[in-house]
Amino acid sequence: MPASAKICGLSTAATLDAAIAGGASHVGFVFFAASPRNVDFDRAAGLAARMPAQVRRVGVFVDPDDALLDAAVAAGRLDALQLHKTPPARVAAIRSRHARETWAAVAIKTRADLDRTADYVGAADRILYDAKTPPGAALPGGMGLRFDWALLDGFRHPLPWALSGGLDPANVAEAIARTGAALVDVSSGVERSPGIKDADRIAAFLAAVTGTASKRG
């Protein structure tokens, strides 16, 4: 099956249009005040209104409360919820409340971290494997870090999954070939500076993913 891509942390019409034109299957809107990629509800609504139905809108959250989720889902017309630093029971409750595809982001550094993904069976629809950030880091992701892809060798994934963490136009083809990822997720790897996406880098990333898909075919 060809790989697909999510461009995360979009905040402008131009970069959203680049993601759509390049063939992204998903785009991510970040609702986390500490992030340079954070969008307010009005901006999220404006961006969502530009999108064709076939591209899925993913809201990105860090252990959110219900009020934030309710407002973001409505403003961004969200199709899916991506939850960082959120325990399995809370993920399950959010999934039940909103009746939307729910992703649990799991920070990976060791094989023991991978084993934790089994806790989300029955709670989430998808696992997002992301690189573990340093202790005390302000952000749970989007820092350009990657984990050792060899950790995925022989691992029996408990749920559908996506690969994130340190991906960019230069390494995404290798990442897909190495891990077999069907969905890849990028944020900082297509930026000029934190929070500032680059339309050319988005296009190059998506072209690399498409090139991998054609080789598989």
Side-chain angles (χ1 to χ4, degrees):
M1 176 182 289
S4 58
K6 170 174 166 277
I7 308 298
C8 196
L10 292 168
S11 59
T12 69
T15 53
L16 174 65
D17 291 350
I20 293 168
S25 59
H26 300 71
V27 300
F29 303 136
V30 175
F31 298 94
F32 181 53
S35 171
R37 305 166 187 95
N38 182 61
V39 293
D40 61 30
F41 302 135
D42 286 344
R43 182 171 295 246
L47 294 172
R50 298 179 67 86
M51 293 179 56
Q54 71 269 21
V55 180
R56 295 180 63 77
R57 299 173 290 269
V58 183
V60 180
F61 304 89
V62 180
D63 198 18
D65 61 26
D66 287 338
L68 173 60
L69 285 163
D70 291 347
V73 166
R77 306 181 194 178
L78 301 180
D79 300 301
L81 310 175
Q82 178 180 317
L83 305 172
H84 292 255
K85 295 189 175 181
T86 309
R90 176 63 176 150
V91 170
I94 290 170
R95 181 174 179 242
S96 177
R97 176 184 175 91
H98 291 280
R100 280 166 172 77
E101 183 179 337
T102 303
W103 302 10
V106 178
I108 305 298
K109 185 174 182 179
T110 68
R111 186 60 180 257
D113 295 323
L114 277 177
D115 292 338
R116 291 177 40 237
T117 61
D119 297 341
Y120 289 93
V121 173
D125 298 288
R126 184 184 300 273
I127 298 292
L128 178 72
Y129 300 125
D130 201 359
K132 184 172 285 189
T133 55
L139 302 177
M143 298 180 67
L145 304 174
R146 62 179 262 190
F147 65 91
D148 182 2
W149 299 329
L151 292 172
L152 296 175
D153 291 350
F155 181 66
R156 297 187 65 178
H157 304 283
L159 289 167
W161 59 281
L163 181 67
S164 188
L167 300 178
D168 59 36
N171 69 16
V172 67
E174 177 192 358
I176 293 168
R178 180 70 178 78
T179 68
L183 176 60
V184 290
D185 183 15
V186 67
S187 186
S188 62
V190 291
E191 291 180 342
R192 295 195 301 271
S193 60
I196 307 300
K197 293 289 186 290
D198 183 282
D200 290 338
R201 293 182 187 182
I202 290 171
F205 184 89
L206 293 168
V209 174
T210 302
T212 302
S214 66
K215 289 177 184 177
R216 286 183 176 188

